[in-house]
Amino acid sequence: MPAHVSLITRGVADVAKASSFYERLRFVRSKKPSEASVSFFQAGPVVLALWGRDAQRDDAQAAELWTGNGGIVVAQNLASEDAVDVMMARAEAAGARILKQAAKTFWGGYDGYFADPDGHVWEVAFNPFWELDEDGRVRLPE
């Protein structure tokens, strides 16, 4: 079986509030959650799940490990600098806190960072060295 990521779960303080934020970013929520305390969103080929932070910590038996954010950044790669600017504006309008305005990078790309209402960090980027397929999936160079 090849290595892959199929689901990213973010522990949030309030599932309903967080779900509303992601819907404003145009993520499409599944109409059939497995239970009311979790929301699932289609995020390209990956599923984004929002689950209560305490419930996730308890389920994982990770109380001694999870003392903060964890330093994980989820990224969305887009086809142009203009598309990055549009997404950053959409995130800010939805209630995100802009951490870094989109700008040219030292490596030749263009990116910006925002935090969702629970403090989870997102990067929105254009990488001129990577191709995106028709579904927006990154195709790494050979």
Side-chain angles (χ1 to χ4, degrees):
M1 175 184 303
H4 69 282
V5 175
S6 56
L7 177 78
I8 296 170
T9 303
R10 296 218 130 160
V12 298
D14 181 321
V15 173
K17 182 179 175 182
S19 296
S20 177
F21 172 81
Y22 283 97
E23 286 175 323
R24 288 191 304 273
L25 292 183
R26 299 187 184 164
F27 283 89
V28 177
R29 182 170 24 171
S30 172
K31 302 293 186 220
K32 297 182 180 183
S34 59
E35 57 183 78
S37 64
V38 64
S39 291
F40 296 105
F41 295 84
Q42 196 63 57
V46 176
V47 173
L48 173 66
L50 303 176
W51 192 15
R53 183 179 296 127
D54 293 340
Q56 183 178 22
R57 181 198 62 230
D58 294 347
D59 187 60
Q61 299 180 5
E64 67 183 56
L65 298 174
W66 290 352
T67 58
N69 176 295
I72 295 172
V73 175
V74 175
Q76 181 178 30
N77 283 73
L78 299 172
S80 69
E81 293 179 11
D82 288 341
V84 170
D85 290 338
V86 167
M87 186 60 197
M88 291 293 292
R90 184 178 299 148
E92 187 170 32
R97 181 167 51 108
I98 302 302
L99 302 175
K100 175 191 163 201
Q101 291 291 336
K104 299 256 186 215
T105 67
F106 69 92
W107 49 267
Y110 186 81
D111 72 359
Y113 288 84
F114 68 84
D116 74 9
D118 286 281
H120 297 294
V121 178
W122 283 82
E123 177 190 20
V124 183
F126 165 64
N127 184 334
F129 309 109
W130 287 356
E131 290 185 30
L132 301 180
D133 71 12
E134 60 280 351
D135 293 324
R137 295 181 184 140
V138 172
R139 295 288 177 212
L140 292 174
E142 301 271 334

